[in-house]
Coordinates of all heavy atoms in Angstrom, one line a residue:
A222 N -20.9 -20.2 -12.3 CA -19.6 -19.9 -12.8 C -19.3 -18.4 -12.8 O -18.2 -18.0 -12.6 CB -19.5 -20.5 -14.3
E223 N -20.3 -17.6 -13.1 CA -20.2 -16.2 -13.1 C -19.7 -15.7 -11.7 O -18.9 -14.8 -11.6 CB -21.5 -15.5 -13.5 CG -21.3 -14.0 -13.6 CD -22.6 -13.4 -14.1 OE1 -23.1 -13.8 -15.2 OE2 -23.1 -12.5 -13.4
Y224 N -20.3 -16.2 -10.7 CA -19.9 -15.8 -9.3 C -18.4 -16.1 -9.0 O -17.8 -15.3 -8.4 CB -20.8 -16.6 -8.3 CG -20.4 -16.3 -6.9 CD1 -20.8 -15.1 -6.2 CD2 -19.7 -17.2 -6.1 CE1 -20.4 -14.8 -4.9 CE2 -19.3 -17.0 -4.8 CZ -19.7 -15.8 -4.2 OH -19.3 -15.6 -2.9
V225 N -17.9 -17.2 -9.4 CA -16.5 -17.6 -9.2 C -15.6 -16.6 -9.9 O -14.6 -16.1 -9.4 CB -16.2 -19.0 -9.7 CG1 -14.8 -19.4 -9.6 CG2 -17.1 -20.0 -8.8
V226 N -15.9 -16.3 -11.2 CA -15.1 -15.4 -11.9 C -15.1 -14.0 -11.3 O -14.0 -13.4 -11.1 CB -15.6 -15.3 -13.4 CG1 -14.9 -14.1 -14.1 CG2 -15.4 -16.6 -14.1
E227 N -16.2 -13.6 -10.8 CA -16.3 -12.3 -10.1 C -15.4 -12.3 -8.9 O -14.7 -11.3 -8.6 CB -17.8 -12.0 -9.8 CG -18.0 -10.6 -9.4 CD -19.5 -10.3 -9.2 OE1 -20.2 -10.4 -10.2 OE2 -19.9 -10.0 -8.1
N228 N -15.5 -13.3 -8.1 CA -14.7 -13.4 -6.9 C -13.2 -13.4 -7.2 O -12.4 -12.7 -6.5 CB -15.0 -14.7 -6.1 CG -15.9 -14.5 -4.9 OD1 -16.1 -13.3 -4.6 ND2 -16.3 -15.5 -4.3
V229 N -12.7 -14.1 -8.2 CA -11.3 -14.1 -8.6 C -10.9 -12.7 -9.0 O -9.8 -12.2 -8.6 CB -11.1 -15.1 -9.7 CG1 -9.7 -14.9 -10.3 CG2 -11.3 -16.5 -9.2
M230 N -11.7 -11.9 -9.7 CA -11.4 -10.6 -10.1 C -11.2 -9.7 -8.9 O -10.3 -8.8 -8.9 CB -12.4 -10.1 -11.1 CG -12.3 -10.7 -12.4 SD -13.6 -10.2 -13.5 CE -13.1 -8.5 -13.9
K231 N -12.1 -9.8 -7.9 CA -12.0 -9.0 -6.7 C -10.7 -9.2 -6.0 O -10.1 -8.3 -5.4 CB -13.2 -9.2 -5.8 CG -14.5 -8.6 -6.4 CD -15.6 -8.8 -5.4 CE -16.9 -8.2 -6.0 NZ -18.0 -8.5 -5.2
K232 N -10.3 -10.5 -5.9 CA -9.0 -10.8 -5.2 C -7.8 -10.2 -5.8 O -6.8 -9.9 -5.1 CB -8.9 -12.3 -5.0 CG -9.9 -12.9 -4.0 CD -9.7 -14.4 -3.9 CE -10.8 -15.0 -3.0 NZ -10.6 -16.4 -2.9
T233 N -7.8 -10.1 -7.1 CA -6.6 -9.7 -7.8 C -6.6 -8.2 -8.1 O -5.6 -7.6 -8.5 CB -6.4 -10.4 -9.2 OG1 -7.6 -10.2 -10.0 CG2 -6.2 -11.9 -8.9
K234 N -7.7 -7.5 -7.8 CA -7.8 -6.1 -8.1 C -6.9 -5.3 -7.1 O -7.1 -5.5 -5.9 CB -9.2 -5.6 -8.1 CG -9.4 -4.2 -8.4 CD -10.8 -3.8 -8.4 CE -11.0 -2.3 -8.8 NZ -12.4 -1.9 -8.7
K235 N -6.1 -4.4 -7.5 CA -5.3 -3.6 -6.6 C -6.1 -2.3 -6.2 O -6.9 -1.8 -6.9 CB -4.0 -3.1 -7.3 CG -3.1 -4.3 -7.6 CD -1.8 -3.8 -8.1 CE -0.8 -5.0 -8.3 NZ 0.5 -4.5 -8.6
E236 N -5.8 -1.8 -5.0 CA -6.5 -0.6 -4.5 C -5.9 0.6 -5.2 O -4.8 0.6 -5.7 CB -6.3 -0.5 -3.0 CG -4.9 -0.3 -2.5 CD -4.8 -0.2 -1.0 OE1 -5.1 0.9 -0.5 OE2 -4.5 -1.2 -0.4
E237 N -6.7 1.7 -5.2 CA -6.2 2.9 -5.8 C -5.1 3.5 -5.0 O -5.1 3.4 -3.8 CB -7.4 3.9 -5.9 CG -8.5 3.5 -6.9 CD -9.5 4.6 -7.0 OE1 -9.2 5.8 -6.9 OE2 -10.7 4.2 -7.2
A238 N -4.1 4.1 -5.6 CA -3.0 4.6 -5.0 C -3.3 5.8 -4.1 O -4.0 6.7 -4.5 CB -1.9 5.0 -6.0
C239 N -2.8 5.7 -2.9 CA -2.7 6.9 -2.0 C -4.1 7.5 -1.7 O -4.2 8.7 -1.5 CB -1.8 8.0 -2.5 SG -0.2 7.3 -3.1
T240 N -5.1 6.7 -1.6 CA -6.5 7.2 -1.4 C -6.8 7.2 0.1 O -7.6 8.0 0.6 CB -7.6 6.4 -2.1 OG1 -7.4 5.0 -1.8 CG2 -7.4 6.6 -3.6
K241 N -6.2 6.3 0.9 CA -6.4 6.3 2.3 C -5.2 7.1 2.8 O -4.2 7.3 2.2 CB -6.3 4.9 2.9 CG -7.4 4.0 2.5 CD -7.4 2.7 3.3 CE -6.2 1.8 3.0 NZ -6.2 0.5 3.7
K242 N -5.4 7.7 4.0 CA -4.3 8.5 4.5 C -3.5 7.7 5.7 O -2.5 8.2 6.1 CB -4.8 9.8 5.0 CG -5.2 10.7 3.9 CD -3.9 11.0 3.0 CE -4.3 11.7 1.8 NZ -3.2 11.9 0.9
N243 N -4.0 6.6 6.1 CA -3.3 5.9 7.2 C -3.3 4.4 6.8 O -4.3 3.8 6.4 CB -4.1 6.0 8.5 CG -4.0 7.4 9.1 OD1 -3.0 7.9 9.4 ND2 -5.2 8.0 9.2
Y244 N -2.0 3.9 6.8 CA -1.8 2.5 6.4 C -1.0 1.8 7.5 O -0.1 2.4 8.0 CB -1.0 2.5 5.1 CG -1.7 3.0 3.9 CD1 -1.5 4.4 3.6 CD2 -2.4 2.3 3.0 CE1 -2.1 5.0 2.5 CE2 -3.0 2.8 1.9 CZ -2.9 4.2 1.7 OH -3.5 4.7 0.5
V245 N -1.4 0.6 7.7 CA -0.6 -0.3 8.6 C 0.2 -1.2 7.8 O -0.3 -1.9 6.9 CB -1.5 -1.1 9.6 CG1 -0.7 -2.0 10.4 CG2 -2.3 -0.1 10.5
V246 N 1.5 -1.3 8.0 CA 2.4 -2.2 7.2 C 3.0 -3.2 8.2 O 3.2 -3.0 9.4 CB 3.5 -1.5 6.4 CG1 2.8 -0.6 5.4 CG2 4.3 -0.6 7.3
H247 N 3.4 -4.3 7.7 CA 4.0 -5.4 8.4 C 5.4 -5.7 7.9 O 5.8 -5.3 6.8 CB 3.2 -6.7 8.3 CG 1.7 -6.5 8.7 ND1 1.3 -6.6 10.0 CD2 0.7 -6.1 7.9 CE1 0.0 -6.3 10.0 NE2 -0.4 -6.0 8.8
R248 N 6.2 -6.3 8.8 CA 7.6 -6.6 8.4 C 7.7 -7.3 7.1 O 8.6 -7.1 6.3 CB 8.4 -7.3 9.5 CG 8.5 -6.4 10.7 CD 9.9 -6.5 11.3 NE 10.0 -5.5 12.4 CZ 10.8 -4.4 12.3 NH1 11.4 -4.2 11.1 NH2 10.8 -3.6 13.2
K249 N 6.8 -8.2 6.8 CA 6.8 -9.0 5.6 C 6.6 -8.1 4.3 O 6.9 -8.5 3.2 CB 5.7 -10.1 5.6 CG 4.3 -9.6 5.6 CD 3.3 -10.7 5.7 CE 1.9 -10.3 5.9 NZ 1.3 -9.7 4.7
D250 N 6.1 -6.9 4.5 CA 5.8 -5.9 3.5 C 7.0 -5.0 3.1 O 7.0 -4.2 2.2 CB 4.7 -5.0 3.8 CG 3.4 -5.7 4.1 OD1 3.1 -6.7 3.4 OD2 2.6 -5.3 4.9
L251 N 8.1 -5.2 3.9 CA 9.3 -4.3 3.7 C 10.1 -4.8 2.5 O 10.1 -6.0 2.3 CB 10.1 -4.3 5.0 CG 9.4 -3.7 6.2 CD1 10.3 -3.8 7.4 CD2 8.8 -2.3 6.0
P252 N 10.8 -4.0 1.8 CA 11.0 -2.5 2.1 C 9.7 -1.8 1.7 O 9.0 -2.2 0.8 CB 12.1 -2.1 1.2 CG 12.2 -3.1 0.1 CD 11.6 -4.4 0.7
L253 N 9.4 -0.7 2.3 CA 8.2 0.1 2.1 C 8.4 1.1 1.1 O 9.4 1.9 1.1 CB 7.8 0.7 3.5 CG 6.6 1.7 3.4 CD1 5.3 1.0 3.0 CD2 6.4 2.4 4.7
S254 N 7.4 1.2 0.2 CA 7.4 2.3 -0.8 C 6.0 2.8 -0.9 O 5.1 2.2 -0.5 CB 7.9 1.7 -2.2 OG 6.9 0.8 -2.7
C255 N 5.9 4.1 -1.4 CA 4.7 4.7 -1.6 C 4.7 5.2 -3.1 O 5.6 5.9 -3.4 CB 4.4 5.8 -0.7 SG 2.7 6.5 -0.9
P256 N 3.8 4.7 -3.9 CA 2.8 3.8 -3.7 C 3.3 2.4 -3.4 O 4.4 2.1 -3.9 CB 1.9 3.8 -4.9 CG 2.8 4.4 -6.0 CD 3.8 5.2 -5.3
T257 N 2.6 1.6 -2.7 CA 3.0 0.2 -2.4 C 2.8 -0.7 -3.6 O 2.1 -0.3 -4.5 CB 2.3 -0.4 -1.2 OG1 0.9 -0.6 -1.5 CG2 2.3 0.5 0.0
D258 N 3.3 -1.9 -3.5 CA 3.1 -2.9 -4.6 C 1.6 -3.4 -4.7 O 1.2 -3.9 -5.7 CB 3.9 -4.2 -4.3 CG 5.4 -3.9 -4.4 OD1 5.8 -2.9 -5.1 OD2 6.2 -4.6 -3.8
K259 N 0.8 -3.1 -3.7 CA -0.6 -3.5 -3.7 C -1.5 -2.4 -4.3 O -2.7 -2.5 -4.4 CB -1.1 -3.7 -2.3 CG -0.4 -4.9 -1.6 CD -0.8 -5.1 -0.2 CE 0.0 -6.3 0.4 NZ -0.4 -6.4 1.8
M260 N -0.9 -1.3 -4.8 CA -1.7 -0.2 -5.3 C -1.5 -0.1 -6.8 O -0.5 -0.5 -7.4 CB -1.2 1.1 -4.7 CG -1.4 1.3 -3.3 SD -0.6 2.8 -2.7 CE -1.0 2.7 -0.9
Q261 N -2.5 0.5 -7.5 CA -2.5 0.7 -8.9 C -1.5 1.9 -9.1 O -1.4 2.8 -8.3 CB -3.8 1.2 -9.4 CG -4.9 0.2 -9.3 CD -6.3 0.8 -9.7 OE1 -6.4 2.0 -10.1 NE2 -7.3 0.0 -9.6
L262 N -0.7 1.8 -10.2 CA 0.3 2.8 -10.4 C 0.0 3.8 -11.5 O 0.7 4.9 -11.6 CB 1.6 2.1 -10.7 CG 2.2 1.2 -9.7 CD1 3.5 0.5 -10.2 CD2 2.4 1.9 -8.4
W263 N -1.0 3.6 -12.2 CA -1.3 4.5 -13.4 C -1.6 5.9 -13.0 O -1.3 6.8 -13.8 CB -2.4 3.9 -14.2 CG -3.8 4.0 -13.6 CD1 -4.3 3.0 -12.7 CD2 -4.7 5.0 -13.6 NE1 -5.6 3.4 -12.3 CE2 -5.8 4.7 -12.8 CE3 -4.7 6.3 -14.3 CZ2 -6.9 5.5 -12.7 CZ3 -5.9 7.1 -14.1 CH2 -6.9 6.7 -13.3
N264 N -2.1 6.2 -11.8 CA -2.4 7.6 -11.5 C -1.7 8.0 -10.2 O -2.1 8.9 -9.5 CB -3.9 7.7 -11.3 CG -4.5 6.9 -10.1 OD1 -3.8 6.0 -9.6 ND2 -5.7 7.2 -9.7
A265 N -0.6 7.4 -9.9 CA 0.1 7.6 -8.7 C 1.3 8.6 -8.9 O 1.8 8.8 -10.0 CB 0.6 6.3 -8.1
H266 N 1.8 9.1 -7.8 CA 3.0 9.9 -7.8 C 4.2 9.0 -8.0 O 4.1 7.8 -7.9 CB 3.1 10.8 -6.5 CG 3.1 10.0 -5.3 ND1 4.2 9.2 -4.9 CD2 2.2 9.8 -4.3 CE1 4.0 8.6 -3.8 NE2 2.7 9.0 -3.4
P267 N 5.4 9.6 -8.3 CA 6.6 8.7 -8.4 C 6.8 7.9 -7.1 O 6.5 8.3 -6.0 CB 7.7 9.8 -8.6 CG 7.1 11.0 -9.1 CD 5.7 11.0 -8.4
K268 N 7.3 6.7 -7.3 CA 7.6 5.8 -6.2 C 8.7 6.3 -5.4 O 9.8 6.7 -5.9 CB 7.9 4.4 -6.7 CG 8.1 3.4 -5.6 CD 8.4 2.0 -6.2 CE 7.2 1.2 -6.1 NZ 7.4 -0.2 -6.5
V269 N 8.5 6.3 -4.1 CA 9.5 6.7 -3.1 C 9.6 5.6 -2.0 O 8.6 5.1 -1.6 CB 9.2 8.1 -2.5 CG1 7.9 8.1 -1.8 CG2 10.3 8.6 -1.6
Y270 N 10.8 5.3 -1.7 CA 11.1 4.3 -0.6 C 11.2 5.0 0.7 O 11.8 6.0 0.9 CB 12.3 3.4 -0.9 CG 12.0 2.4 -2.0 CD1 12.3 2.8 -3.3 CD2 11.5 1.2 -1.7 CE1 12.0 1.9 -4.3 CE2 11.2 0.3 -2.7 CZ 11.5 0.6 -4.0 OH 11.2 -0.3 -5.0
L271 N 10.5 4.5 1.7 CA 10.4 5.1 3.1 C 11.1 4.2 4.1 O 10.7 3.0 4.3 CB 8.9 5.3 3.4 CG 8.1 6.1 2.4 CD1 6.6 6.0 2.7 CD2 8.6 7.5 2.4
P272 N 12.1 4.7 4.8 CA 12.8 3.9 5.8 C 12.1 3.8 7.1 O 12.5 4.3 8.2 CB 14.1 4.7 6.0 CG 13.7 6.1 5.7 CD 12.6 6.1 4.7
I273 N 11.0 3.0 7.1 CA 10.1 2.9 8.3 C 10.8 2.0 9.4 O 10.4 2.1 10.6 CB 8.8 2.3 7.9 CG1 7.7 2.6 9.0 CG2 8.9 0.9 7.5 CD1 6.3 2.4 8.5
E274 N 11.8 1.2 9.1 CA 12.4 0.3 10.0 C 13.0 1.1 11.2 O 13.0 0.6 12.3 CB 13.5 -0.5 9.4 CG 13.0 -1.4 8.3 CD 13.0 -0.7 6.9 OE1 13.2 0.5 6.8 OE2 12.9 -1.4 5.9
K275 N 13.5 2.3 11.0 CA 14.1 3.1 12.1 C 13.2 3.6 13.1 O 13.5 3.5 14.3 CB 14.9 4.2 11.5 CG 16.0 3.8 10.5 CD 16.7 5.0 9.9 CE 17.7 4.6 8.9 NZ 18.3 5.7 8.2
T276 N 12.1 4.1 12.7 CA 11.2 4.8 13.7 C 9.8 4.1 13.9 O 9.1 4.4 14.8 CB 10.9 6.2 13.2 OG1 10.2 6.2 11.9 CG2 12.2 7.0 13.1
G277 N 9.4 3.3 12.9 CA 8.1 2.6 13.0 C 7.0 3.5 12.4 O 5.8 3.1 12.4
L278 N 7.3 4.7 12.0 CA 6.4 5.7 11.4 C 7.0 6.5 10.3 O 8.1 7.0 10.5 CB 5.9 6.6 12.5 CG 5.0 7.8 12.1 CD1 3.6 7.2 11.6 CD2 4.8 8.7 13.2
E279 N 6.3 6.6 9.2 CA 6.8 7.4 8.1 C 5.6 8.1 7.4 O 4.5 7.5 7.4 CB 7.5 6.5 7.0 CG 9.0 6.2 7.4 CD 9.9 7.4 7.4 OE1 9.8 8.3 6.6 OE2 10.8 7.4 8.3
V280 N 5.9 9.2 6.8 CA 4.9 10.0 6.1 C 5.5 10.2 4.7 O 6.6 10.6 4.5 CB 4.6 11.3 6.8 CG1 3.6 12.2 5.9 CG2 4.0 11.1 8.2
C281 N 4.7 9.9 3.7 CA 5.1 10.1 2.3 C 5.2 11.6 2.0 O 4.3 12.3 2.2 CB 4.1 9.4 1.4 SG 4.5 9.7 -0.4
P282 N 6.4 12.0 1.4 CA 6.6 13.4 1.1 C 5.7 13.9 0.0 O 5.5 15.1 -0.2 CB 8.0 13.5 0.8 CG 8.4 12.1 0.4 CD 7.6 11.2 1.1
Y283 N 5.2 13.0 -0.9 CA 4.4 13.4 -2.0 C 2.9 13.5 -1.7 O 2.3 14.5 -2.0 CB 4.5 12.3 -3.1 CG 5.8 12.4 -3.9 CD1 6.8 11.4 -3.7 CD2 6.0 13.4 -4.8 CE1 8.0 11.5 -4.4 CE2 7.2 13.4 -5.5 CZ 8.2 12.5 -5.3 OH 9.4 12.5 -6.0
C284 N 2.3 12.5 -1.0 CA 0.9 12.5 -0.8 C 0.4 12.7 0.6 O -0.7 12.8 0.9 CB 0.3 11.3 -1.4 SG 0.7 9.8 -0.6
G285 N 1.4 12.6 1.6 CA 1.1 12.8 3.0 C 0.5 11.5 3.6 O 0.1 11.6 4.8
S286 N 0.5 10.4 2.9 CA 0.0 9.1 3.5 C 0.9 8.8 4.7 O 2.1 8.9 4.6 CB 0.0 8.0 2.5 OG -1.0 8.2 1.5
R287 N 0.3 8.3 5.8 CA 1.0 8.0 7.0 C 1.1 6.4 7.1 O 0.0 5.8 7.0 CB 0.3 8.6 8.2 CG 0.8 8.3 9.5 CD -0.1 8.9 10.5 NE -0.1 8.3 11.8 CZ 0.4 8.8 12.9 NH1 0.7 10.1 12.9 NH2 0.4 8.1 14.0
F288 N 2.3 5.9 7.3 CA 2.5 4.5 7.4 C 3.0 4.2 8.8 O 3.9 4.8 9.3 CB 3.5 4.0 6.4 CG 3.1 4.2 5.0 CD1 3.3 5.4 4.3 CD2 2.4 3.2 4.3 CE1 2.9 5.6 3.0 CE2 2.0 3.4 3.0 CZ 2.3 4.6 2.3
V289 N 2.4 3.1 9.4 CA 2.8 2.7 10.8 C 3.2 1.2 10.7 O 2.5 0.4 10.1 CB 1.6 2.9 11.8 CG1 2.0 2.3 13.1 CG2 1.2 4.3 11.8
L290 N 4.4 0.9 11.2 CA 4.9 -0.4 11.2 C 4.3 -1.2 12.4 O 4.5 -0.8 13.5 CB 6.4 -0.4 11.2 CG 7.1 -1.8 11.2 CD1 6.8 -2.5 9.9 CD2 8.6 -1.6 11.3
Q291 N 3.6 -2.3 12.1 CA 3.1 -3.2 13.1 C 4.1 -4.3 13.3 O 4.3 -5.1 12.3 CB 1.7 -3.7 12.8 CG 1.1 -4.5 13.9 CD -0.3 -4.9 13.6 OE1 -1.0 -4.2 12.8 NE2 -0.8 -6.0 14.2
N292 N 4.6 -4.5 14.5 CA 5.5 -5.6 14.7 C 4.7 -6.9 15.1 O 4.0 -6.9 16.1 CB 6.5 -5.3 15.9 CG 7.5 -4.3 15.5 OD1 8.0 -4.4 14.4 ND2 7.7 -3.3 16.3
D293 N 4.7 -7.9 14.2 CA 4.0 -9.1 14.5 C 4.8 -10.3 14.3 O 5.9 -10.3 14.0 CB 2.7 -9.2 13.7 CG 2.7 -8.6 12.3 OD1 3.8 -8.4 11.8 OD2 1.6 -8.4 11.8

């Protein structure tokens, strides 16, 4: 039972905000914001929306994270 509880917690845990510098996003993830909905917000910069649909590449003006849109 302990193993199952541990697995569930890992699946629901969000990643730390803006710790990686390169992110791949998919159309299903749009609209794109930094930090994303998959990131913890408690220690993040203010949320900013990035218009990645136009160019396929955006860089966050706050943290410098680079987002690349993958068409799938």
